[in-house]
């Protein structure tokens, strides 16, 4: 079976969230496919840096999603994170995105969004969505202590 694995960084600073503008003009959380040999958490941190220029620290996992189909399966992990310093989001285009910015949920609703779930994720996070430890995702045969 073929599988596609994606990491999504839901990065929050107060009541604002970090969104990136995709090359097609739509907006989404920093996210992308895992590279060969990469963990979900490393992919989330890497994608955020590449797409927004903002270094982040992951604080938890909001969801692990699995979507099987006849063609294979998609796995997606949505991580909670926050910026590690006051680095401003990149505003000039690069090979990955057109730029990034901090937005409120109300501002996000006004943008052309890549995913219909963006406002729902923001609402849930602002409402206190549970975060699970990043240690939930471990390599096979990791020690149990």
């Amino acid at each position: 079976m073929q599988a596609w694995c994606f990491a999504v960084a839901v990065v929050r600073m107060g009541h604002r969230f970090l969104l990136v503008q995709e090359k097609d003009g739509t907006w989404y959380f920093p996210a992308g496919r895992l590279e060969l040999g990469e963990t979900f958490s490393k992919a989330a941190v890497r994608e955020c840096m590449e797409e927004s220029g903002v270094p982040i620290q992951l604080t938890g996992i909001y969801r692990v999603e699995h979507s099987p189909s006849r063609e294979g399966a998609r796995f997606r992990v949505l991580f909670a994170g926050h910026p590690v310093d006051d680095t401003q989001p990149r505003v000039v285009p690069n090979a990955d995105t057109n730029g990034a910015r901090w937005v409120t949920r109300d501002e996000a609703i006004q943008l052309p969004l890549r995913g219909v779930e963006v406002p729902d994720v923001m609402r849930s996070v602002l409402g206190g969505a549970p975060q699970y430890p990043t240690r939930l995702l471990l390599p096979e045969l990791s020690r149990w202590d």
Side-chain angles (χ1 to χ4, degrees), residues 6-11 18 20 29-35 38-61 77-84 96 134 137:
F6 298 90
V8 181
V10 180
V11 182
L18 184 63
V20 296
F29 300 111
R33 190 177 295 186
L34 276 65
E35 295 178 352
E38 187 175 42
T39 65
F40 279 96
S41 57
K42 287 196 184 300
V45 171
R46 175 186 54 78
E47 287 288 347
C48 191
M49 183 56 109
E50 288 176 0
E51 294 184 353
S52 74
V54 176
I56 63 167
Q57 177 179 350
L58 301 179
T59 58
I61 296 171
V77 178
L78 284 82
F79 288 94
H82 63 80
V84 298
D96 299 298
T134 55
L137 291 172

